[in-house]
Structures are given as structure tokens and as C-alpha cells.
Amino acid sequence: MEHVPPPAEELALLDRELARLDARRSQLLVRRAWLVSVLTPPAAPAPPQFAGSFGPPPAGPAAFGPPPAARAEQRSAQNVLLTLGGLLLAIAAIAFTLVSWGHMGIGGRSAVLAVVTLAALAAPAVLLRRGLSSTAESLAALASVLMVLDAYALHRVAVPEAGGAGFAAAASAVLAVLWCAYGLLLDRLRLPLPLAVVSAQLPLLLWAWSAGAGATVFGWALLLTAALDCAIAVRVTRLPVRVTACVGCWTTGLLGLLVALGQSVSAGSAPAALAPAALLLTGAAIALAGAWRAPTGFAVAGGLLAGLCGVAAVGGVLRAGMDWDWSVPVYLLCGVVLLVAVRAPLPRPVGQGVLWASAAVVVAAVLDALPAVGVSLLGPVSRLGEVWSGVPDDGVRGALGAGGPAWSHMTATPVVLLAVAGPAALAHRSWDRLVRVAGPVVSPGASWRGASGAVALGLGWAGLVVSPAVLGFPYPAAVAVQSVLTAGAFAVAVAGLRRGAGVLGTTALVCALAGAVSTGLLSLAAQGATYAVFAVLLVVCAAAAVLLDGAAGPVAQSPAAPAVPSVRLPWIAQTVTACGAVLCATVLARALGASWGLPVHQAAPVLLVVPVATVLLGARLGSRPSALPVELAGASAAAVAICMALPDRPFLALVLALCGVLAAGTAVRAERRPVAGYLAVALFVLAAWVRLSASGVSDPEAYTLPVTVPALVVGALRRRRDPEASSWTAYGPGLAATLVPSLFAAWVDPHWLRPLLLGAAALVITLAGARLRLQALLLLGGAVLALDALHELAPYVVQVVGALPRWLPPALAGLLLVVVGATYEQRLRDARRLKETLGRMR
């Protein structure tokens, strides 16, 4: 295909044309910018436009004025200037009134303030007609300040003998009326009407103050003010006025209700509680009246406040003269009665608020009872230092570490807990009927039924648990009751989990575990109680684990299906109860050693009966999910035995060797071999080291080298048969058998020969590991070489550091951090490269 003209010539032609277009566009843009600057002078005000004017608008960009951003900036600057100007004028007026007032006569003073105030009040009307709303607002604010100063001046000049509080009450009422009228007259002003609402908060309070009234009168003044605010908030549609009235209503109303509540709680008789009750009921009526027409959120809050006020009013009259401990059930009863709101002819949000008030009263009563429950469950912790000190003389209260005076204020606790548990249990049992009854107000979901059952179960159990201490049971009876309650909770948990009732079963299991811990701690006061309680707990936990075995389904699921918590609950509960049984067996074994009068270190082998049983039980359980937790619980008992044997090295070596035998027995099972095999070797080696140390051997190499050499030969033979075998398996145990004891011996050896020989051997091993690419030799030899060198160089390093200036080590550390930070990426790559290199070694 031929081009006319040729492609190269056409390309040059297009480039020249595009360059000319770019140049022309630049010229046109420059010309346009100049024309815009000419047609839009910066100081030229826009001509006023009147409704009814004829003629087309002026043409050009000037007709549209400055852009919106510029107008916003000008308006913001204008508002700032006007606000500052009004503030300065107000300050000048106050200074004139307070400072220069005495230099003028009575006529001059009155004339100046009157003229200035009238001018400030009249000016906004003119400014609003001219469209200067911001200036009008500033002058209206100034006029408001001047009106307050006028009132102050009137008091000083006309009625100086009048009381300050009484005159202020009258002045605030007059100012509220004047500001209201002024705001209605000039309805485009936003400030006067909210100021009228603010001023209306003061007359009744100031009047009560001037009259020297009591707290009840102050409460009535606050509530009447709140009623006025509520009426304004409901009736007025302007948002600033409504917001101001709402804030005032909540502030004055809550203050008045707090005054009434304080009087109601402190009333010593029913007649004395009637006046505060009337105040509280008035507050409830105001809250309901406001909530009836309020939005949803405020309606719920109003219903909540009304319900709480009703409970406080009625309960305050009924409990007058009672101790606070028995006052809580009275308030609780009133809170439960509020549940009739589900059938009351109330708007749905208001009814929900009343129900929330009932729930709040119930929760407060339960929280008031929790300290007694906490003392009942955790009180034995305070007597852990007096294990087997004997049966307390003052019964179970002595075992809990709390005397009679402390429990005399908790006598109503079981009543409160059981009173809440009863309706919750009834709601759980008759849930469908409850949903039908409560339908006009609330629509609870199915999950709330399980929650109500859990609440009933938990609070009922807590009420029964706290009863022995509240009633002052003897110690044996209290221990028996606690054991029965714990066994019953385990039975309920097993039954619930087997039936699939996850919430109830979980709640019962938590209660059972808490009860087991509390009962176990409580039984430590007497030897016989310890054996009896932990034997019962052992049987109960083991039985629960066995019964839950059938309910515990398989844990593994398909990758696409998420894990279901209700499926996992039974085997989790089985695991917990099985581990609890192991813990009880551990306590019994320890108690047996103490009963035989054995020292702590000699009782350690007795404790190893528990891990022996768990090893056998783990082999019996096989691949069940609870097998590993049970074995780990037994291993924790072995760890306790090792800690008990630490004071005596011969017994420690024996315990370590026995633990090694248990680990070796566990390693027979293929699924446990990777961990248990290494653990068995480590325990045997450690037992040998401890035994050598206990025998006073100062040269451990004479005993460890005969073990190391055959071990290395066996490792080499295995590597020859299986080149893929790990160097840690082949050479690790043999090298560690000599290097580690020699390192410990070198650190306490004051001579130089052993550290030198150990360092040389470690250097040879390290070089061999690097040459043969064997990870075990490289890391073990390098670690021993570094520690040996550190031990030898430490005295010299200490001397050098002591000779240096004190500022130099921190400076060097900071410099090192800076260098590392600056080369962080490179150091990170080096670390990754080192890790990869070590990973490629065998």
C-alpha cells in the first residue's frame, strides 16, 4: 500500500500542526485569564436585587459573583470579625457599668444604658431588612448582655434594699419573657429564643434560694422547671430552641430526681418518705409525658427514667426504716412489678424503656448480691497458709475468713438471687406464652430463651451456694452442702450437653467447675474433709467425662464446613472434666504423702502415680480428643514432682529417671514418639548429670565420654544406612551428653585447662559441622564455643567497661541501633539467608 504523501513527511506535518495548536491554546488561556481579571474587580460590590425589579441580569462572569469557596471564606472571616466586635462591645459595656458607673449622675446613667440598649435592640430589625443577618445576630447578642446590665443597674439604683436572689429570680423571669417576645417579633434571629429558654431555668431555683427553702422545695423547683422545658421541647418546632429545652429538661430533671432519691433513701419512716415519693412520681409523669411524643431514642430513655422513678418512689415508701440489706428485695419486687408494662397501653418505645428499667433494677440487685457470692467461693483462698489447721470453731464463716459482722449485712442475698432465678426459670419454661404476651412491646428471639434459662440456673445455684455461709452452717454441714451442689451442677451439665442444650449445659459446667474449686479449697481446713471432698470430686469428674464420651462427636469436619460450637461443646466439657479428675488425683497423692509424714522431696515419687495412670489411660483412649489433654495434665503432675524434689539432688535424679521411664513408655506409641522420645532422652541424660553432681564428681567427662563415643558411633551407622536422617537424631544426644556437663563444669572451674580443652573440642565440632553441613554439630559446637569464650573473656570485658567513660557504652549502643536501623533490609536478607542455609543442613 502506498501513502500520499509518504509516511515520514505526513508524520512531520502532523507534528508541526500539533505544535501550532498547543501554542494557540496557550495564547487563548492567557487572554481568558486577563479578561476574567478585568471583568471581576475585587472590590466591586454586587448590585442589590429587589423582588419586582425588571431587566436582564448583567452579562459576564461578574454577574455570578465570586466562586462558592471564596464566598465561604469571606463569610467565615466576616463571622469571626463580627463575633470579636460584639465581644469587645460587650466587654466595654460591662466595664462601663461596673467601673465608670459612679462618675455619672442617676439621670445620665439611666439615659446612657436605656439609649444604648434600645439602639442595640432596634438595630437588628433594620439590618435584617438589608440582609445583614450576621451583623444583626451580633447586635442582638450585645443587646442581650445590655439587658442583663440594665437589670443589674435597676437593682442598684431603684431597689437596692431588695435581696439579690429574689431580685435575680424576678429579673430572670422578666428577661425570659422579653427575650421570648423579641425572638418571636424578629423570628429570623436565632439567639433570643434559646436565651429565653436558658433564662427560664433560673426563676424558680432563685426564688427557692431567696426563701431559704429546704431540699424538697428545691426538688419541686427543679422538676417544675423540667416540666416547662419538656413542654417547650414537645411543642416548639425550632431546632435550636428544642435542643436547648431538651438539655435544660434533662439537667434540671435529673438534679431534681437525685435530690428526691437522696431524701427517699435516707427517710427513716414511711410518712417521711411520702414527700420524696411524690417528687419521684411527678418526675415519672413528666418523663412519660415527654416520651409519649418524642422520637424513638428519647422515648425509650423517657420510659426508662419513668420506670426507675416509679420503683424508687414506691420502694422508698415500703422500705422506710429497714436495713439496706433487706431494702434490696423491696426494690427488686417493685422492679419485677414493672413487667406489667408489657400489657399497658403505652407506645412501643416507651414500653421498651419501662422494661429496660425493670431489667436495670434486677441487674442492680444481682450486682449488690455478688460480693457475698464472691466471698463464699473465694473466701478459702485467704486461709491457704493454714492448711489442715483443724475444723474452725465459728463454722463455715471461719473457714471463709469472714466473721459474723461481715455476714450480718448479707442475710438477704440468697433471697435476692433466688427471687430473680424464679421468674427467669418461669420465662424459660413458658417461653411461647411469654412471647405472645410481650408481643406489643418486645419481640425476643429464640436465643433469649436459652439466656433466661442460663440466668435462672446460674443465679439459683449461686443463691444455694451462698446460703450455708449466710445461715451460719457448721463446717462439716457446709462442706457436705457444697459437695452436693457441685455434684448436682455436674449432673445438670452432663444431661444438658447430652441433650444438645448448649447454653444450659455450659452454664451448669461453669457453675460446677467454680463449685469444685471452691469446695476443694474449703476442704483444705481439715484433713478428713480434704480426702472426702477430693475423692468425691475425682469420682464425679471421672463419671462426667465417661458419660460425655458418647455425646462428644467427631471433631474433624470437611474443609468447606465451618466448625460448629455446639458440636465441640461436649468434647470440650469431656476434656475439662477429665483434666479435673487428674487434678483431683494429684491433690490426693500429695495429701497422701503429707499424711505419711514424708518430707517434701521424699513425697515427690508418690506424686508420680498420677502420670503413670495418665500414660496408661492415654494408651487406652487412643485417638480420642481428650487423650492428649489428659496426658498433659499428668505431665504437669510430673513437673510438680520434679519441683518438689529440687531441694535434694539424689531424689531429684531418681524422680527425673522415673519421669524418663514414663516418657519412654509413652514413646512406644507412634503418635507420641516424636515428642516423647526426645523428652525421654533428655530426662535420662539430665538424671545422669544430677546423679553425678550429687555424688560429688568434679570430672564428669570420665563418665560422659564412655557414653558419647558409642552414641556417636551408633549415630554414624544410622546416617550411613539412612542418609536423610537428621543430625540431631544421630549425633545430638551423644554430643550433648558430654558438652553440656563439661560446659557447666568449666563455668565453675577456676583453672584454665578444662575451658581450653572444651573450647578446642567445640571448635573442632563446629568446623566439622560446617564442613559436613550437619546442623546439630554446627549449632551445638558453636553455642558451647561461644559460651566458653564468654566465660573466659568476661573478666577482661568487665575491666575494659569499667575503664571507659560512662557515657560511652550507651553511645555505642545507640550507634549500633542506628547502623542496624539504617541497614535493616540488608540485615533482614542476611538473616533469611542464614536461616535458609541452616534449613538445608541435615
Side-chain angles (χ1 to χ4, degrees):
M1 179 178 179
E2 297 182 0
H3 291 270
V4 180
E9 191 173 316
E10 185 180 359
L11 180 61
L13 181 63
L14 291 176
D15 289 340
R16 288 195 297 270
E17 189 64 22
L18 289 174
R20 281 196 297 269
L21 289 175
D22 290 339
R24 182 58 178 167
R25 187 174 185 276
S26 300
Q27 292 174 1
L28 292 176
L29 288 175
V30 172
R31 182 63 178 175
R32 182 184 182 279
W34 180 81
L35 289 173
V36 170
S37 64
V38 170
L39 293 175
T40 312
Q49 299 290 334
F50 301 96
S53 61
F54 298 94
F64 301 96
R71 286 200 298 269
E73 293 177 0
Q74 292 171 6
R75 189 176 295 110
S76 300
Q78 180 188 23
N79 290 337
V80 171
L81 293 176
L82 290 173
T83 303
L84 291 177
L87 182 61
L88 291 176
L89 288 174
I91 293 173
I94 295 173
F96 168 76
T97 304
L98 298 178
V99 178
S100 302
W101 190 255
H103 299 295
M104 300 181 65
I106 183 65
R109 288 179 277 185
S110 302
V112 169
L113 273 181
V115 170
V116 174
T117 303
L118 290 175
L121 289 173
V126 179
L127 294 172
L128 287 175
R129 284 198 299 270
R130 294 180 176 272
L132 302 176
S133 58
S134 298
T135 308
E137 291 285 355
S138 298
L139 287 180
L142 175 62
S144 304
V145 176
L146 291 175
M147 292 176 73
V148 177
L149 296 177
D150 284 334
Y152 170 73
L154 181 63
H155 175 257
R156 292 292 301 272
V157 174
V159 283
E161 69 279 359
F167 183 83
S172 59
V174 172
L175 287 176
V177 174
L178 292 177
W179 279 332
C180 181
Y182 187 66
L184 293 175
L185 183 62
L186 302 177
D187 56 353
R188 293 174 60 186
L189 292 176
R190 293 174 294 179
L191 185 62
L193 289 179
L195 278 179
V197 176
V198 173
S199 182
Q201 313 300 309
L202 303 177
L204 292 178
L205 289 176
L206 293 174
W207 169 78
W209 184 16
S210 65
T216 303
V217 178
F218 268 100
W220 280 110
L222 288 166
L223 286 182
L224 291 177
T225 304
L228 176 62
D229 292 331
C230 182
I232 294 173
V234 170
R235 297 288 181 181
V236 179
T237 58
R238 294 189 178 187
L239 183 60
V241 180
R242 177 171 287 185
V243 170
T244 307
C246 285
V247 173
C249 178
W250 283 100
T251 303
T252 55
L254 290 178
L255 289 176
L257 293 176
L258 286 176
V259 171
L261 181 62
Q263 289 187 306
S264 177
V265 172
S266 61
S269 61
L274 289 177
L279 269 175
L280 290 167
L281 291 177
T282 303
I286 295 172
L288 281 178
W292 208 278
R293 297 180 55 185
T296 302
F298 285 98
V300 174
L304 172 64
L305 184 61
L308 292 177
C309 290
V311 171
V314 179
V317 175
L318 296 178
R319 53 107 4 225
M322 295 183 180
D323 292 336
W324 177 252
D325 186 41
W326 285 102
S327 300
V328 176
V330 175
Y331 285 113
L332 176 62
L333 177 62
C334 297
V336 174
V337 171
L338 280 182
L339 294 176
V340 300
V342 298
R343 305 302 295 173
L346 295 173
R348 185 179 177 91
V350 179
Q352 291 176 353
V354 176
L355 291 183
W356 278 113
S358 175
V361 173
V362 172
V363 170
V366 172
L367 291 178
D368 183 76
L370 287 183
V373 179
V375 173
S376 297
L377 293 176
L378 302 178
V381 176
S382 62
R383 293 177 57 89
L384 284 179
E386 304 175 12
V387 176
W388 290 3
S389 58
V391 176
D393 296 332
D394 49 351
V396 67
R397 293 179 177 178
L400 295 176
W407 286 101
S408 62
H409 302 291
M410 304 178 185
T411 52
T413 298
V415 177
V416 171
L417 295 173
L418 295 176
V420 177
L426 182 62
H428 178 75
R429 184 176 181 83
S430 306
W431 184 255
D432 295 334
R433 182 179 178 184
L434 176 65
V435 171
R436 289 195 302 270
V437 172
V441 179
V442 291
S443 301
S447 60
W448 285 91
R449 180 176 187 178
S452 64
V455 168
L457 180 60
L459 294 182
W461 177 82
L464 295 177
V465 163
V466 79
S467 297
V470 171
L471 299 177
F473 278 20
Y475 176 77
V479 172
V481 170
Q482 296 277 49
S483 301
V484 171
L485 289 176
T486 302
F490 272 114
V492 174
V494 171
L497 292 173
R498 286 176 65 88
R499 290 200 313 266
V503 177
L504 292 178
T506 303
T507 304
L509 180 61
V510 172
C511 294
L513 294 176
V517 173
S518 176
T519 308
L521 293 174
L522 185 64
S523 68
L524 295 179
Q527 182 175 353
T530 301
Y531 282 109
V533 167
F534 279 97
V536 170
L537 291 178
L538 173 61
V539 173
V540 169
C541 290
V546 172
L547 292 175
L548 286 172
D549 185 51
V555 182
Q557 298 179 357
S558 63
V564 181
S566 60
V567 175
R568 292 179 176 270
L569 281 177
W571 70 261
I572 292 176
Q574 182 191 22
T575 300
V576 171
T577 52
C579 293
V582 174
L583 178 61
C584 294
T586 304
V587 175
L588 288 174
R590 178 67 187 94
L592 186 63
S595 298
W596 289 344
L598 298 176
V600 175
H601 64 277
Q602 293 182 8
V606 179
L607 213 64
L608 294 180
V609 176
V610 177
V612 169
T614 57
V615 168
L616 298 176
L617 183 60
R620 178 71 176 82
L621 293 175
S623 60
R624 285 186 173 88
S626 58
L628 180 60
V630 168
E631 293 180 70
L632 291 177
S636 66
V640 173
I642 292 173
C643 294
M644 292 171 60
L646 285 177
D648 189 271
R649 284 181 290 178
F651 263 88
L652 177 59
L654 173 63
V655 171
L656 289 172
L658 293 177
C659 291
V661 172
L662 292 175
T666 305
V668 173
R669 298 159 53 194
E671 67 274 12
R672 299 286 186 261
R673 187 171 302 135
V675 176
Y678 288 112
L679 181 61
V681 172
L683 289 172
F684 283 132
V685 173
L686 188 58
W689 294 343
V690 173
R691 180 68 260 181
L692 292 176
S693 174
S695 301
V697 175
S698 58
D699 298 324
E701 293 84 1
Y703 298 90
T704 58
L705 282 175
V707 176
T708 296
V709 173
L712 293 178
V713 172
V714 172
L717 293 176
R718 179 174 180 182
R719 287 275 298 173
R720 179 176 296 179
R721 293 176 55 188
D722 183 12
E724 297 299 324
S726 172
S727 60
W728 290 99
T729 305
Y731 305 117
L735 291 175
T738 295
L739 289 179
V740 176
S742 297
L743 180 62
F744 280 105
W747 272 64
V748 296
D749 192 344
H751 305 289
W752 57 271
L753 182 58
R754 186 193 302 272
L756 177 61
L757 296 176
L758 178 62
L763 178 60
V764 171
I765 293 172
T766 304
L767 295 176
R771 176 69 180 82
L772 301 176
R773 303 182 63 82
L774 297 176
Q775 192 180 96
L777 276 66
L778 178 63
L779 294 182
L780 278 176
V784 172
L785 179 61
L787 291 174
D788 186 63
L790 177 64
H791 173 263
E792 295 303 309
L793 297 177
Y796 305 102
V797 173
V798 170
Q799 293 179 3
V800 172
V801 172
L804 293 175
R806 296 198 173 186
W807 57 266
L808 190 56
L812 293 176
L815 180 61
L816 176 62
L817 292 177
V818 170
V819 172
V820 171
T823 60
Y824 176 74
E825 293 296 334
Q826 180 62 37
R827 302 286 79 78
L828 197 60
R829 286 194 295 270
D830 294 342
R832 291 198 189 99
R833 193 178 301 113
L834 178 60
K835 179 181 177 181
E836 293 172 358
T837 303
L838 290 175
R840 287 193 295 267
M841 292 184 177
R842 297 303 302 170

